[in-house]
Amino acid sequence: MITILAEKPDQARHYAAAFDRASRKDGYFEVIDDLFNEPVFLTYGFGHLVELVEPAVYDPAWEKWSLNTLPMLPSHYRFCVPTDKQKQFAIVKRLLDRSDAIIVATDSDREGENIARSIITQSGNADKPIRRLWINSLETDEIRRGFAELKDGADFVSSYWEAQSRQIADWLVGLNATRLFTLLLRQKGLQGTYSVGRVQTPTLAMIAARQQAIENFKPEKFVEIHGDFQTDNGSYSGKLDQRFPSADEAEALLDQHGLAIGRPSPATVQTVAKKEKREASPRLYSLSDLQARVDKVYHIGPASTLAAVQALYEAKLLSYPRTDCNFITEGEFTYLSANLSSYLLLLGVELHNPEMNAKKRYVDGKKVQEHYAIIPTRNLPSAADLDALPATQRTIYQDVLANTAAMFYPPHVYEETIILTNAGGLIFKTQGKVERDPGWKILFSSEPDKDRPLPQVSEEQGVTTTLAQKEGVTTTLAQKEGVTTPPKPYTEGQLITLMKTAGRTLDAADEAARKTLAETEGLGTEATRSGIIETLKRQNYIVVRKSTVSVTKKGMLLCNVLSGSKLTSPAFTAEWETYLKKIRLHEGTQERFLSGIQRFIVFNGRSPQGPASVHRPAGRSGNSAVDGSLPALRPAGT
């Protein structure tokens, strides 16, 4: 007998629909299909059926928040099934107990592996043969292909150790740091709970740094000199590449060159440089890329975008959503090519000569690790089906459809022109572009190009200029008082990009950490970033008004208290991810990693008794290889 373990009911329902026969029972399905030559049961969790126990389970004294009980470092880590999930766990355990083999069919990532293996281990079945379903879509063909080509479960067990190590470490740091700083602030008369976390805290610190830069910004007045140049073919504007602290200094320079504000003067076109440029369509979407765009263009927040993309995935309209990849393989390109005309019909556009070659910018199997980019599936909705979707889902589906179809379009071609105009020996620069072929941009016609075309001019052509002082950065040729502007607050969508590119905020001295964060896609994962933003909202650390993010007094207070601590630096995550990767590659161990985490949370110089342990699946050891070490980490000032 075989038991297939899915992550949640909806996922199991899609699997069941792909089999020849699947009879629904209480908490599972009975499956009959030519893919299997023995009885098969398909069951599921509710995401995590198993979680770490509460602190008081280890020691009753840990139930009370007290500095005297810190740090809390269990000698081993225990897991339990929450009360509201015990019925389903009992069903899953009964089926696993009866099975000769298990197929892990949770989401194809490290957290999905953790969910499945935690259930299997808690049920006492970790010693049974395990195979792995690895798919990127819930389409019937993809599901059946995946079950026909199951992978060896042993190849993925280290992903479980990796994910479980992160889970325990986040629990340890969050638990101890939250209690410590909350209790210290209460001693200062500040009430409330101050949640601290390895990802949420540096994210909050980066938002706070931007807000402080805005608040501390000191505006400075400046003056620019712009010229309005008249020709027989029309007019154009140019700017002197120099700023002046006052109008008097600007006028003094003009006077030296025989020029004056508001007085027509002869000028000459010195050079006209034209260059044709070709702009390829955007890369295919990762989840972060999609969330950032949808927030910017449609003002739909990251959490709402993730929920919508998940719903479209479960409706078999989009591929797996929690991906950090911008590429697809030849297999996906083949079906996209075959369905292109149908996709274009849904978009209401035509393409007479599609570019049907697979370009490396989009199609590169070597760069597809766990999941490929977010693309439409083979399952095509009718126009009526599309109209019936909730507005957010419809908007996002159409945007993904357009972004995918764009790779079959020719590039956007435009001519960039730079004119240098000499007026009295001063050189004014004019830059503009003329569109030659909209190419893929026709798919996004609601986002017009705002560049103003320039008139035709030639070198040595005489023109007439009228100069004006221009203060600030306004776009009219009027004399107005202007000032330098502060950085803009982050939008909610920009937070996703900020987390993904967090390594760029580190100093040059942290080059190793910068490299690691670039390789691991920064803070959090595609699946968790929008959730982290929601956590910051719930903790009243940030507020979002009209998509603009600001830090509350509570959030700013916590950042000030933690200033200088590793807890506020993205480098902390880089150190974690460096070693977590070693665990996945069998080059490091969970025990060594958690020992380093324990050293970090020893706040008063007390050493832990030794590395804590967790239960291991039978037949595989977490101590197979040790190469390198996790640095001893200690908060600043302790």
Side-chain angles (χ1 to χ4, degrees), residues 226-229 235-239 429-431 452 454 477:
H226 288 237
D228 184 18
F229 302 100
S235 65
Y236 64 95
S237 298
K239 182 177 74 172
K429 182 178 181 179
T430 304
Q431 188 168 345
R452 176 186 172 189
L454 300 174
L477 292 177

Side-chain angles (χ1 to χ4, degrees), residues 276-284 355 359-362 402-414 433 437-444:
E276 182 180 277
K277 294 200 171 183
R278 306 170 72 84
E279 181 185 2
S281 66
R283 294 187 182 277
L284 299 175
E355 299 186 354
K359 301 171 188 170
K360 282 285 189 180
R361 178 176 173 83
Y362 318 102
N403 187 69
T404 305
M407 71 176 167
F408 295 98
Y409 272 71
H412 171 228
V413 182
Y414 62 94
K433 66 182 183 181
D437 183 351
W440 59 268
K441 283 204 169 186
I442 198 170
L443 291 163
F444 304 96

Side-chain angles (χ1 to χ4, degrees), residues 18-259:
F19 296 132
D20 292 340
R21 288 173 55 190
S23 304
R24 184 161 200 140
K25 306 296 182 181
D26 184 13
Y28 67 100
F29 295 83
E30 289 184 2
V31 173
I32 298 176
D33 195 283
D34 290 341
L35 286 167
F36 311 103
N37 56 11
E38 57 187 303
V40 173
F41 294 90
L42 166 60
T43 188
Y44 47 84
F46 299 141
H48 286 278
L49 286 185
V50 178
E51 61 185 38
L52 286 155
V53 301
E54 291 296 318
V57 175
Y58 296 108
D59 187 338
W62 288 1
E63 184 170 6
K64 181 181 178 182
W65 286 39
S66 169
L67 290 174
N68 294 328
T69 62
L70 297 178
M72 294 178 287
L73 301 172
S75 59
H76 64 285
Y77 297 99
R78 296 165 60 183
F79 295 80
C80 68
V81 179
T83 302
D84 62 340
K85 297 180 180 179
Q86 287 181 359
K87 177 185 175 183
Q88 183 61 21
F89 179 80
I91 293 170
V92 175
K93 175 175 167 53
R94 184 177 76 248
L95 295 172
L96 293 176
D97 288 345
R98 294 171 56 191
S99 296
D100 302 307
I102 301 167
I103 297 175
V104 171
T106 48
D107 282 355
S108 304
D109 55 24
R110 74 178 182 184
E111 200 53 42
E113 199 68 28
N114 187 21
I115 288 171
R117 297 276 182 167
S118 294
I119 294 170
I120 294 168
T121 300
Q122 190 74 11
S123 73
N125 289 283
D127 59 339
K128 292 184 176 176
I130 295 175
R131 287 177 291 169
R132 204 359 163 149
L133 176 73
W134 199 265
I135 59 176
N136 283 283
S137 160
L138 289 176
E139 294 173 280
T140 296
D141 289 349
E142 176 76 354
I143 291 171
R144 293 191 65 83
R145 181 204 60 76
F147 277 106
E149 302 173 3
L150 292 168
K151 300 178 181 294
D152 185 350
D155 293 340
F156 300 89
V157 68
S158 63
S159 292
Y160 164 51
W161 301 338
E162 176 191 17
Q164 188 188 68
S165 300
R166 180 213 52 77
Q167 177 187 13
I168 293 171
D170 275 335
W171 182 82
L172 278 172
V173 171
L175 187 71
N176 284 283
T178 296
R179 290 197 180 191
L180 173 70
F181 292 107
T182 296
L183 291 168
L184 291 175
L185 288 167
R186 286 178 183 175
Q187 288 182 346
K188 301 293 184 181
L190 297 166
Q191 298 307 306
T193 299
Y194 290 81
S195 172
V196 177
R198 188 250 319 181
V199 175
Q200 64 166 298
T201 302
T203 300
L204 175 64
M206 289 190 292
I207 305 169
R210 170 63 65 91
Q211 185 161 311
Q212 288 178 324
I214 294 170
E215 293 172 353
N216 297 332
F217 182 80
K218 297 185 183 303
E220 296 180 358
K221 293 184 178 181
F222 65 87
V223 173
E224 291 178 339
I225 302 174
H226 288 237
D228 184 18
F229 302 100
Q230 304 294 328
T231 78
D232 294 339
N233 298 322
S235 65
Y236 64 95
S237 298
K239 182 177 74 172
L240 188 66
D241 190 19
Q242 187 175 353
R243 283 183 172 181
F244 304 89
S246 68
D248 289 344
E249 292 184 53
E251 290 175 1
L253 177 66
L254 293 176
D255 186 59
Q256 292 175 19
H257 290 264
L259 303 171

Side-chain angles (χ1 to χ4, degrees), residues 38 82 130 157 187 215 253 261 270-271 308 324 356 399 403 410 456 548 603 627-628 634:
E38 57 187 303
I130 295 175
V157 68
Q187 288 182 346
E215 293 172 353
L253 177 66
I261 295 295
Q270 181 167 300
T271 62
D324 60 2
M356 303 303 286
D399 192 275
N403 187 69
Q456 291 290 335
T548 298
F603 301 107
D627 181 18
R634 185 179 298 277

